[in-house]
Every structure is written in structure tokens, then in C-alpha cells.
Amino acid sequence: AQRVTQPEKLLSVFKGAPVELKCNYSYSGSPELFWYVQYSRQRLQLLLRHISRESIKGFTADLNKGETSFHLKKPFAQEEDSAMYYCALATGTASKLTFGTGTRLQVTL
Amino acid sequence: NAGVTQTPKFQVLKTGQSMTLQCAQDMNHEYMSWYRQDPGMGLRLIHYSVGAGITDQGEVPNGYNVSRSTTEDFPLRLLSAAPSQTSVYFCASSFGQGAWEQYFGPGTRLTVT
């Protein structure tokens, strides 16, 4: 069965510092991986997906199949990045997502 | 375009009561899902539907029923509420399976006493 692990419940960084939110997965098939974000009092929304290889709001994530990881990175944290971040894995059928437990990013001045 | 809507926003139930959480989308999405969000556990899939008339169980289906009579609506029924069902419930929809973006509703916060 598929599994997504986000080892940090809370990550606190200073504004301007680099950010790395860790995500590891286990899945025997070809993974489809995503990062979803939930800002305070807003809906859960897609931040980025590995298949698009895009950078959104300065965030990037690279799929490393050897290490089964999909870590989310940003070189310089901003206050508006403070939110709950979820890594998610799609099995490729029926839009079923397996979510990690989430990491709360707190960016302080 | 309202996107995904959920009602009610908040609900308090007594143990044993039943209720239906409503979910609707106006994006003509085939795929709809229900998740529950609990502290320290992330989001877990309850039930999902790949189209009108077709539903299937997710990771935590016990105590919940769903039906999909139209493309737009995907209600979640709690048959006999239990304190363990206290949670925030999210409905989501997507255009296609797998790698398609899922659009989430605002959530329903349910407390069972």
C-alpha cells in the first residue's frame, strides 16, 4: 500500500532563510506527487505537482525516485509562506490521493 | 463559478444522530471525493466517485455512506454519529483521475458529543 511521510510537524524559519519541507513516499508503481497548501482561513489548494516541473511562488520540488523523496524547497522564505503544507501521492487511478500528515511552516521576522 | 461548495460549515451532533453533509460542484467534474482531516493524521479518504452512479470506498469508510445521483452532488451520510467522527470534512472534485488537480471545498467542522 502507498504511504507518504512528512517527518516534521512544525518547521520554523526566519524570513529570508532557505526552506526545505521533507516528503518521502512508498509506492510500488510510478508515483504522481503533489504539494498542497492550506493558508490560514483558506481552502486547501494545489501548490505544485511533479509532472509539471514548475516553480510556484518560488517553491520547487524534485522527484528523486532513488531516495523516494519529493522535498519542497524555497531559497528565501517570506512571511506569506506561513501555512500548512501537505505532500500527496496519487496512485494513478480515480484521483485518489494519499496525504502525508502535514508540516506547518512558520516564517518569523 | 462557485467551485466546490459544502454545507453546513459547522455542525454539532449527539451520539447516535444521523445527518448528511452536502457537497456540490459546478465545474462538471467527473471525480469527487470526501476526506476527513484530523490533527496529526493529515487527510484521509473516506469515499470517492468516478462518475454519477459509481462510488467506492476509501481508506476510512466505516460509519459513512455516499451516493452520486448527479454529476454535481456528492452527499456524505453519517448513519449513527460517534465521537470518533468528530473531524473536519472536506469534499474535493477533479476533472480527471490521477495527476489532475483536486479542488477542495471550504470544509465542514463536525463535533459529536
Side-chain angles (χ1 to χ4, degrees), chain A residues 36-93:
Chain A
Y36 280 82
V37 61
Q38 190 172 27
Y39 300 103
S40 179
R41 291 185 293 279
Q42 291 189 29
R43 304 181 184 209
L44 194 64
Q45 58 187 283
L46 178 68
L47 179 62
L48 55 79
R49 69 192 99 183
H50 92 270
I51 198 170
S52 302
R53 293 185 163 270
E54 56 200 347
S55 172
I56 303 293
K57 299 185 179 183
F59 284 98
T60 58
D62 290 318
L63 175 60
N64 185 323
K65 290 188 178 180
E67 295 183 358
T68 59
S69 68
F70 188 56
H71 303 328
L72 184 68
K73 298 178 183 180
K74 185 170 182 177
F76 307 105
Q78 302 297 317
E79 280 183 87
E80 55 266 28
D81 296 330
S82 295
M84 193 75 177
Y85 291 80
Y86 291 97
C87 183
L89 167 68
T91 61
T93 59

